[in-house]
mmCIF file of all heavy atoms in Angstrom:
data_model
loop_
_atom_site.group_PDB
_atom_site.id
_atom_site.type_symbol
_atom_site.label_atom_id
_atom_site.label_comp_id
_atom_site.label_asym_id
_atom_site.label_seq_id
_atom_site.Cartn_x
_atom_site.Cartn_y
_atom_site.Cartn_z
ATOM 1 N N ASN C 1 11.895 174.233 41.595
ATOM 2 C CA ASN C 1 12.205 175.227 42.632
ATOM 3 C C ASN C 1 13.719 175.554 42.612
ATOM 4 O O ASN C 1 14.515 174.650 43.030
ATOM 5 C CB ASN C 1 11.710 174.636 44.063
ATOM 6 C CG ASN C 1 11.994 175.500 45.201
ATOM 7 O OD1 ASN C 1 12.813 176.259 45.289
ATOM 8 N ND2 ASN C 1 11.060 175.501 46.206
ATOM 9 N N LEU C 2 14.039 176.657 42.106
ATOM 10 C CA LEU C 2 15.425 176.931 41.973
ATOM 11 C C LEU C 2 16.207 176.928 43.295
ATOM 12 O O LEU C 2 17.244 176.409 43.336
ATOM 13 C CB LEU C 2 15.602 178.358 41.312
ATOM 14 C CG LEU C 2 16.975 178.706 40.702
ATOM 15 C CD1 LEU C 2 17.416 177.751 39.797
ATOM 16 C CD2 LEU C 2 16.900 180.022 40.050
ATOM 17 N N GLY C 3 15.636 177.347 44.415
ATOM 18 C CA GLY C 3 16.229 177.397 45.769
ATOM 19 C C GLY C 3 16.484 176.095 46.131
ATOM 20 O O GLY C 3 17.644 175.696 46.659
ATOM 21 N N ALA C 4 15.590 175.009 45.986
ATOM 22 C CA ALA C 4 15.860 173.677 46.369
ATOM 23 C C ALA C 4 16.903 173.117 45.549
ATOM 24 O O ALA C 4 17.773 172.266 46.089
ATOM 25 C CB ALA C 4 14.550 172.847 46.321
ATOM 26 N N THR C 5 16.974 173.488 44.248
ATOM 27 C CA THR C 5 17.992 172.892 43.426
ATOM 28 C C THR C 5 19.318 173.310 43.931
ATOM 29 O O THR C 5 20.268 172.610 43.858
ATOM 30 C CB THR C 5 17.808 173.352 42.015
ATOM 31 O OG1 THR C 5 16.441 172.967 41.592
ATOM 32 C CG2 THR C 5 18.720 172.748 41.023
ATOM 33 N N TYR C 6 19.518 174.577 44.165
ATOM 34 C CA TYR C 6 20.806 175.100 44.723
ATOM 35 C C TYR C 6 21.179 174.437 45.925
ATOM 36 O O TYR C 6 22.296 174.112 46.344
ATOM 37 C CB TYR C 6 20.664 176.558 44.873
ATOM 38 C CG TYR C 6 20.708 177.388 43.635
ATOM 39 C CD1 TYR C 6 20.116 178.611 43.609
ATOM 40 C CD2 TYR C 6 21.372 176.986 42.481
ATOM 41 C CE1 TYR C 6 20.153 179.422 42.472
ATOM 42 C CE2 TYR C 6 21.323 177.690 41.299
ATOM 43 C CZ TYR C 6 20.691 178.931 41.268
ATOM 44 O OH TYR C 6 20.770 179.659 40.130
ATOM 45 N N LEU C 7 20.188 174.307 46.940
ATOM 46 C CA LEU C 7 20.579 173.816 48.309
ATOM 47 C C LEU C 7 20.942 172.384 48.126
ATOM 48 O O LEU C 7 21.851 171.858 49.042
ATOM 49 C CB LEU C 7 19.240 173.707 49.168
ATOM 50 C CG LEU C 7 18.891 175.031 49.766
ATOM 51 C CD1 LEU C 7 17.464 175.041 50.359
ATOM 52 C CD2 LEU C 7 19.907 175.521 50.688
ATOM 53 N N SER C 8 20.556 171.479 47.148
ATOM 54 C CA SER C 8 20.922 170.187 47.003
ATOM 55 C C SER C 8 22.448 170.100 46.697
ATOM 56 O O SER C 8 23.079 169.009 46.938
ATOM 57 C CB SER C 8 20.062 169.439 45.877
ATOM 58 O OG SER C 8 20.459 169.904 44.645
ATOM 59 N N ALA C 9 23.021 171.113 46.094
ATOM 60 C CA ALA C 9 24.490 170.971 45.748
ATOM 61 C C ALA C 9 25.308 171.953 46.494
ATOM 62 O O ALA C 9 26.567 171.930 46.373
ATOM 63 C CB ALA C 9 24.492 171.445 44.342
ATOM 64 N N ASN C 10 24.850 172.890 47.191
ATOM 65 C CA ASN C 10 25.589 173.873 47.896
ATOM 66 C C ASN C 10 25.453 174.013 49.397
ATOM 67 O O ASN C 10 24.406 174.400 49.943
ATOM 68 C CB ASN C 10 25.251 175.328 47.275
ATOM 69 C CG ASN C 10 26.117 176.410 47.652
ATOM 70 O OD1 ASN C 10 27.018 176.268 48.559
ATOM 71 N ND2 ASN C 10 25.909 177.493 47.054
ATOM 72 N N PRO C 11 26.402 173.420 50.174
ATOM 73 C CA PRO C 11 26.308 173.448 51.633
ATOM 74 C C PRO C 11 26.382 174.746 52.270
ATOM 75 O O PRO C 11 26.121 174.930 53.438
ATOM 76 C CB PRO C 11 27.547 172.509 52.036
ATOM 77 C CG PRO C 11 28.557 172.798 50.905
ATOM 78 C CD PRO C 11 27.692 172.875 49.656
ATOM 79 N N ILE C 12 26.779 175.841 51.489
ATOM 80 C CA ILE C 12 26.755 177.182 52.249
ATOM 81 C C ILE C 12 25.436 177.655 52.557
ATOM 82 O O ILE C 12 25.439 178.509 53.599
ATOM 83 C CB ILE C 12 27.439 178.197 51.062
ATOM 84 C CG1 ILE C 12 28.881 177.737 50.822
ATOM 85 C CG2 ILE C 12 27.407 179.602 51.640
ATOM 86 C CD1 ILE C 12 29.485 178.595 49.800
ATOM 87 N N PHE C 13 24.401 177.247 52.173
ATOM 88 C CA PHE C 13 23.098 177.733 52.558
ATOM 89 C C PHE C 13 22.464 177.105 53.811
ATOM 90 O O PHE C 13 21.504 177.433 54.267
ATOM 91 C CB PHE C 13 22.120 177.428 51.384
ATOM 92 C CG PHE C 13 22.205 178.236 50.178
ATOM 93 C CD1 PHE C 13 22.977 177.652 49.062
ATOM 94 C CD2 PHE C 13 21.640 179.583 50.121
ATOM 95 C CE1 PHE C 13 23.165 178.544 47.859
ATOM 96 C CE2 PHE C 13 21.880 180.288 48.997
ATOM 97 C CZ PHE C 13 22.482 179.793 47.905
ATOM 98 N N HIS C 14 23.378 176.174 54.371
ATOM 99 C CA HIS C 14 22.845 175.534 55.578
ATOM 100 C C HIS C 14 22.310 176.365 56.654
ATOM 101 O O HIS C 14 21.213 176.114 57.326
ATOM 102 C CB HIS C 14 24.007 174.744 56.042
ATOM 103 C CG HIS C 14 23.775 173.982 57.372
ATOM 104 N ND1 HIS C 14 22.819 172.966 57.476
ATOM 105 C CD2 HIS C 14 24.168 174.149 58.655
ATOM 106 C CE1 HIS C 14 22.618 172.501 58.678
ATOM 107 N NE2 HIS C 14 23.588 173.236 59.444
ATOM 108 N N ALA C 15 22.961 177.578 56.963
ATOM 109 C CA ALA C 15 22.489 178.310 58.137
ATOM 110 C C ALA C 15 21.007 178.787 57.899
ATOM 111 O O ALA C 15 20.297 179.119 58.815
ATOM 112 C CB ALA C 15 23.419 179.528 58.329
ATOM 113 N N ARG C 16 20.581 178.970 56.673
ATOM 114 C CA ARG C 16 19.245 179.561 56.317
ATOM 115 C C ARG C 16 18.171 178.450 56.197
ATOM 116 O O ARG C 16 17.059 178.813 56.114
ATOM 117 C CB ARG C 16 19.291 180.366 55.009
ATOM 118 C CG ARG C 16 20.274 181.484 54.945
ATOM 119 C CD ARG C 16 20.029 182.133 53.640
ATOM 120 N NE ARG C 16 21.344 182.786 53.435
ATOM 121 C CZ ARG C 16 21.603 183.242 52.175
ATOM 122 N NH1 ARG C 16 20.990 183.004 51.150
ATOM 123 N NH2 ARG C 16 22.801 183.885 51.983
ATOM 124 N N THR C 17 18.557 177.232 56.466
ATOM 125 C CA THR C 17 17.594 176.182 56.241
ATOM 126 C C THR C 17 17.423 175.292 57.480
ATOM 127 O O THR C 17 17.280 174.021 57.281
ATOM 128 C CB THR C 17 18.010 175.373 55.026
ATOM 129 O OG1 THR C 17 19.341 174.817 55.206
ATOM 130 C CG2 THR C 17 18.002 176.006 53.744
ATOM 131 N N LYS C 18 17.464 175.858 58.661
ATOM 132 C CA LYS C 18 17.546 174.956 59.845
ATOM 133 C C LYS C 18 16.214 174.180 60.066
ATOM 134 O O LYS C 18 16.129 173.059 60.598
ATOM 135 C CB LYS C 18 17.585 175.805 61.162
ATOM 136 C CG LYS C 18 19.091 176.271 61.102
ATOM 137 C CD LYS C 18 19.344 176.895 62.618
ATOM 138 C CE LYS C 18 20.794 177.409 62.577
ATOM 139 N NZ LYS C 18 21.223 178.027 63.871
ATOM 140 N N HIS C 19 15.089 174.783 59.483
ATOM 141 C CA HIS C 19 13.830 173.984 59.583
ATOM 142 C C HIS C 19 13.662 172.734 58.585
ATOM 143 O O HIS C 19 12.898 171.888 58.759
ATOM 144 C CB HIS C 19 12.645 174.980 59.190
ATOM 145 C CG HIS C 19 12.663 175.473 57.825
ATOM 146 N ND1 HIS C 19 13.526 176.459 57.425
ATOM 147 C CD2 HIS C 19 11.929 175.223 56.713
ATOM 148 C CE1 HIS C 19 13.421 176.759 56.048
ATOM 149 N NE2 HIS C 19 12.453 175.902 55.708
ATOM 150 N N ALA C 20 14.617 172.719 57.708
ATOM 151 C CA ALA C 20 14.545 171.706 56.656
ATOM 152 C C ALA C 20 15.827 170.822 56.802
ATOM 153 O O ALA C 20 16.169 170.110 55.751
ATOM 154 C CB ALA C 20 14.359 172.135 55.290
ATOM 155 N N GLU C 21 16.565 170.930 57.805
ATOM 156 C CA GLU C 21 17.948 170.339 57.946
ATOM 157 C C GLU C 21 18.025 168.833 57.588
ATOM 158 O O GLU C 21 18.868 168.453 56.862
ATOM 159 C CB GLU C 21 18.435 170.559 59.272
ATOM 160 C CG GLU C 21 19.846 170.156 59.491
ATOM 161 C CD GLU C 21 20.450 170.723 60.845
ATOM 162 O OE1 GLU C 21 19.914 171.720 61.448
ATOM 163 O OE2 GLU C 21 21.415 170.001 61.436
ATOM 164 N N VAL C 22 17.065 168.017 58.181
ATOM 165 C CA VAL C 22 17.238 166.592 57.888
ATOM 166 C C VAL C 22 16.843 166.279 56.495
ATOM 167 O O VAL C 22 17.629 165.482 55.764
ATOM 168 C CB VAL C 22 16.153 165.873 58.818
ATOM 169 C CG1 VAL C 22 16.127 164.330 58.412
ATOM 170 C CG2 VAL C 22 16.544 165.993 60.252
ATOM 171 N N ASP C 23 15.893 166.818 55.883
ATOM 172 C CA ASP C 23 15.488 166.607 54.467
ATOM 173 C C ASP C 23 16.711 167.038 53.573
ATOM 174 O O ASP C 23 17.131 166.419 52.598
ATOM 175 C CB ASP C 23 14.241 167.360 54.158
ATOM 176 C CG ASP C 23 13.039 166.814 54.755
ATOM 177 O OD1 ASP C 23 13.169 165.618 55.283
ATOM 178 O OD2 ASP C 23 12.116 167.407 54.803
ATOM 179 N N TYR C 24 17.225 168.198 53.924
ATOM 180 C CA TYR C 24 18.295 168.861 53.182
ATOM 181 C C TYR C 24 19.432 167.905 52.966
ATOM 182 O O TYR C 24 20.059 167.613 52.023
ATOM 183 C CB TYR C 24 18.684 170.179 53.681
ATOM 184 C CG TYR C 24 19.943 170.811 53.374
ATOM 185 C CD1 TYR C 24 20.295 171.355 52.194
ATOM 186 C CD2 TYR C 24 20.954 170.705 54.369
ATOM 187 C CE1 TYR C 24 21.364 171.881 51.976
ATOM 188 C CE2 TYR C 24 22.251 171.177 54.031
ATOM 189 C CZ TYR C 24 22.431 171.758 52.764
ATOM 190 O OH TYR C 24 23.735 172.316 52.549
#
């Protein structure tokens, strides 16, 4: 999952992932 891979390294995406905040 390319999006999940990017999220694991890039804190800029935080506003778009409120539903997955704890896991992220």
Side-chain angles (χ1 to χ4, degrees):
N1 183 324
L2 194 56
T5 304
Y6 287 153
L7 284 172
S8 68
N10 190 347
I12 295 173
F13 289 98
H14 174 67
R16 298 184 206 161
T17 59
K18 289 187 179 183
H19 64 283
E21 189 171 330
V22 173
D23 293 343
Y24 159 76

